[in-house]
Every structure is written in C-alpha cells, then in structure tokens.
Amino acid sequence: IVVQDQLGDAIGDIYQGAEVAELVGSNWIPINQKLTSSGTYPDPVGEVIPVDLVPRGSSDANSWPSMPLTPMQPTPDPVDANASVQIDGFTLTSGIGNRTWKATPPSTLTITWP
C-alpha cells in the first residue's frame, strides 16, 4: 500500500517506522506493519478471528509458532476487504476501498482490487 500526503508526495521520510492500524468495528487495531522509508507498507488481507489475549512468555504464547495452521473457511461469495487506515494515529482521508477476497479450498485466496 502506498501512503501519500495531500499533495501526492510520499510521507515515509517523516513517518518511517510508524505503526499502521485499521478500523475493525469501532476499534483501531494495529496490523503489525510499519511504514517504510518509501511510504509503503504490506497489507495482509483475510478475516479477523477474535481470540483471547495470552500473556507474553506464557506457555500458550511460546507454543504458538509450532501450532498447526487453521485453514480459512471457504467463502461462497467475495467478501469486502475495505478498511479505514491510521498511520501513527492519524486517520487517512481515504482508506482501502474496492477490494474483496474469496477463499477456495484447499489453500487459495483470491484478492480482487481494481
């Protein structure tokens, strides 16, 4: 994703390393991505699966990397994957729009973004 200021210039020189968050429901959720020096960030697409938080250093947290992957459920129709975005706590005027995703077993995720 490319992030620019209102004049179309990259903002990575000022906000390099800034946290990226997306609006999920009524909460801003960090997506574990940082803005690069060129004003871009990778944007993972998928479904939000609510889980309970576990304490850092707990046995559940430490065993997480070796746990088996949970497959995505198939989607009969494309799902909207649009999002409002914040960079370093500042809400962007236009977020991510016109994007959908569709999961097809056993392991295909199709993202459509004109």
Side-chain angles (χ1 to χ4, degrees):
I1 303 289
V2 177
V3 180
Q4 299 173 328
D5 66 13
Q6 68 272 25
L7 302 175
D9 296 324
I11 64 169
D13 57 336
I14 299 170
Y15 289 98
Q16 180 180 358
E19 181 176 85
V20 179
E22 292 183 356
L23 188 61
V24 177
S26 59
N27 298 312
W28 288 101
I29 307 297
I31 63 168
N32 297 323
Q33 301 296 330
K34 304 285 184 189
L35 197 66
T36 67
S37 61
S38 60
T40 63
Y41 68 93
D43 185 39
V45 176
E47 60 185 324
V48 175
I49 301 172
V51 296
D52 294 326
L53 295 177
V54 295
R56 181 179 295 180
S58 69
S59 61
D60 286 340
N62 291 334
S63 66
W64 175 78
S66 61
M67 292 175 64
L69 297 176
T70 303
M72 237 180 183
Q73 298 300 311
T75 54
D77 297 310
V79 177
D80 285 338
N82 304 322
S84 295
V85 178
Q86 280 188 344
I87 303 292
D88 200 31
F90 296 99
T91 303
L92 302 183
T93 302
S94 62
I96 299 168
N98 301 319
R99 182 176 67 179
T100 62
W101 63 267
K102 181 178 172 145
T104 306
S107 59
T108 302
L109 178 65
T110 304
I111 301 168
T112 304
W113 191 0

